[in-house]
Amino acid sequence: MVKASRSFQIFVKPIGAACNLGCSYCYYLEKSRLNPDGHNTRMPRDILEAYIKQHIHASPDSTIRFSWHGGEPTLMGLEYFQEILEIQKRYRPPDKRVLNGVQTNGTLLTEEWCRFFIKHGFSIGLSLDGPQEMHDRYRLTKQGDPTHQKALRGYHLLRQHGLTPDILCVVNAFNVQYPSQVYGFFKEIKARYIGFLPLVEPEADEESGVSPGTVPAEAFGQFLCTVFDEWKDQDIGTIKVQIFEEAVKTALDEEHELCIFRNTCGDVPVLEQNGDFYSCDHFVDPQHRLGNIQDTPLIDLLEDPELISFGQNKWTTLPRYCRTCDVLSMCYGECPKNRFIQTPEGEKGLNYLCSGYKGFFHHCRPFVQQLAALRQRQIREEQHAAPAVGAIARSKIGRNDPCPCGSGKKYKKCCLGR
């Protein structure tokens, strides 16, 4: 049986762009035009089964991951997800493990949903933009009603059932002004995993070239710096912030997990509810439609030269200004969707957020370099120590000693587990 040549993650849209909310910055609501007649918004069972079967057969990994997105996937109803599990069980090889993840706005969660998620080991991502005033500025219902209270209720329901969701916070022109308040709110509700997603909306009719809600680049960088300093001083080991984890990976010579920071992309395609397959969540358009799993096997779509080329173009189209940047390995030009401004030399293709990212990566680099030095020392000690005394060599830094990264925390509370 042919396997994909690389690991992949597919954002599956079982209900397409349908959502119970009308967030003003949502880039996916407009994708409803892909289904102009308004019918068949739900992924039919035959397509669902064909997809799951092909995904399992194509995966080269021992753990097979499914990612259910939208729109709002919980609109499909609990029975639909129970059916997903039944199909997965039918096709899962005995030596493979299947995991599921759902990205939700949290407003429709119930006790029953939470019991289902915890029973079947689902990972949950929940969208929350900070305190009520900041969240409700953009995340409203289609009738213009606030959603913070319902989203927070969903979050607390998950926590009460033993699930700690990943928080996805969109950073926009408003909440970027209040980094301490945003981060403080997440600490207050005992969030453990936080991702900050910068809002970037190009608009030709705006003098600035972006929408009024778009986060200013340098302000986003300062937002990250402020949160980073507080995280480094108080929360290392207790809270994971996605972009900080990605920055640390460069110190450990590890590949970025987040596609926007890899040197190439194309490993996170999209499957729409009708079986259409697209290169990326941000490029669901006719130009990037590669086919339909009803006509072309998923393995062939994953290995399609156009998808490979799409991913490689992330590197090949990178401006010289980026290629010579001293923090290139931390960024790699970020997401191609944001590369619409010019470099100081006038070359096209610079990322709109460049100045902000550069400011942040320079700010956190001393910490990252300290981690790198610590890791290299540990490797040297392990290489020169006999197996029997390896533990002694590693124990030269005591668990209760100050961490050499400079955080001020004890080693056991800081970098020991990295």
Side-chain angles (χ1 to χ4, degrees), residues 57-162:
H57 289 168
S59 176
D61 304 318
S62 58
T63 298
I64 304 171
R65 301 179 186 275
F66 287 85
S67 299
W68 306 99
H69 286 243
E72 175 50 45
T74 59
L75 285 172
M76 299 298 294
L78 193 55
E79 289 184 2
Y80 191 89
F81 278 87
Q82 290 170 335
E83 189 171 22
I84 285 173
L85 294 181
E86 291 172 3
I87 298 172
Q88 290 173 341
K89 182 178 180 180
R90 188 176 311 133
Y91 292 106
R92 179 185 65 84
D95 60 338
K96 301 280 188 177
R97 182 186 183 202
V98 171
L99 295 179
N100 289 279
V102 169
Q103 181 64 40
T104 177
N105 59 45
T107 62
L108 300 177
L109 295 180
T110 62
E111 298 275 355
E112 190 177 14
W113 271 113
C114 294
R115 286 194 293 268
F116 173 82
F117 287 147
I118 191 69
K119 178 180 179 180
H120 298 289
F122 274 65
S123 60
I124 307 297
L126 191 143
S127 299
L128 199 59
D129 290 352
Q132 183 169 358
E133 180 186 4
M134 301 176 195
H135 178 94
D136 286 341
R137 193 173 185 95
Y138 296 99
R139 299 191 61 81
L140 304 172
T141 68
K142 290 180 171 62
Q143 294 74 38
D145 296 325
T147 66
H148 186 267
Q149 186 174 355
K150 291 182 177 179
L152 196 58
R153 176 182 176 277
Y155 171 82
H156 287 307
L157 270 177
L158 290 167
R159 292 301 304 268
Q160 289 166 15
H161 284 80

Side-chain angles (χ1 to χ4, degrees), residues 135-351:
H135 178 94
D136 286 341
R137 193 173 185 95
Y138 296 99
R139 299 191 61 81
L140 304 172
T141 68
K142 290 180 171 62
Q143 294 74 38
D145 296 325
T147 66
H148 186 267
Q149 186 174 355
K150 291 182 177 179
L152 196 58
R153 176 182 176 277
Y155 171 82
H156 287 307
L157 270 177
L158 290 167
R159 292 301 304 268
Q160 289 166 15
H161 284 80
L163 276 166
T164 303
D166 293 5
I167 297 295
L168 180 62
C169 173
V170 175
V171 183
N172 51 65
F174 182 58
N175 62 2
V176 75
Q177 303 172 69
Y178 308 99
S180 295
Q181 292 91 324
V182 171
Y183 186 57
F185 168 77
F186 291 137
K187 291 176 63 173
E188 181 181 331
I189 65 172
K190 296 180 170 52
R192 291 294 174 261
Y193 310 97
I194 307 169
F196 292 116
L197 178 65
L199 176 62
V200 180
E201 298 176 310
E203 288 191 7
D205 57 346
E206 292 288 336
E207 184 177 344
S208 64
V210 295
S211 71
T214 291
V215 63
E218 293 188 7
F220 179 59
Q222 187 55 56
F223 176 97
L224 293 176
C225 290
T226 300
V227 175
F228 177 82
D229 288 343
E230 184 167 343
W231 171 81
K232 183 169 68 73
D233 291 343
Q234 302 178 21
D235 303 315
I236 290 178
T238 58
I239 297 177
K240 289 189 176 182
V241 180
Q242 188 178 44
I243 189 171
F244 303 164
E245 296 289 313
E246 292 295 322
V248 168
K249 285 182 181 297
T250 61
L252 305 179
D253 291 324
E254 296 177 358
E255 183 181 8
H256 287 293
E257 289 186 14
L258 201 56
C259 61
I260 62 173
F261 294 134
R262 297 177 192 157
N263 60 346
T264 61
C265 58
D267 298 331
V268 192
V270 165
L271 187 74
E272 273 287 334
Q273 86 279 3
N274 64 349
D276 282 345
F277 187 88
Y278 294 88
S279 300
C280 171
D281 193 44
H282 292 285
F283 292 86
V284 176
D285 53 47
Q287 179 184 349
H288 295 91
R289 179 185 179 276
L290 299 175
N292 188 292
I293 62 167
Q294 298 176 96
D295 307 314
T296 307
L298 181 64
I299 183 64
D300 293 341
L301 293 168
L302 290 167
E303 300 296 328
D304 191 309
E306 287 191 34
L307 181 60
I308 304 299
S309 177
F310 172 85
Q312 292 174 340
N313 283 344
K314 184 177 191 289
W315 172 255
T316 59
T317 61
L318 201 61
R320 184 179 180 278
Y321 180 79
C322 296
R323 293 171 184 265
T324 58
C325 178
D326 61 339
V327 289
L328 172 64
S329 65
M330 292 177 134
C331 174
Y332 286 114
E334 208 241 8
C335 184
K337 78 177 181 68
N338 294 331
R339 296 182 184 177
F340 55 83
I341 65 173
Q342 294 183 347
T343 70
E345 294 78 23
E347 188 178 0
K348 295 180 180 179
L350 183 65
N351 195 295

Side-chain angles (χ1 to χ4, degrees), residues 18-51:
C19 187
N20 62 316
L21 304 188
C23 305
S24 59
Y25 58 56
C26 181
Y27 64 91
Y28 218 82
L29 287 176
E30 66 175 28
K31 304 305 178 183
S32 58
R33 59 182 169 76
L34 297 171
N35 187 35
D37 61 2
H39 300 297
N40 298 321
T41 57
R42 298 166 64 91
M43 181 178 285
R45 191 188 190 287
D46 59 335
I47 296 179
L48 176 67
E49 182 165 0
Y51 160 63

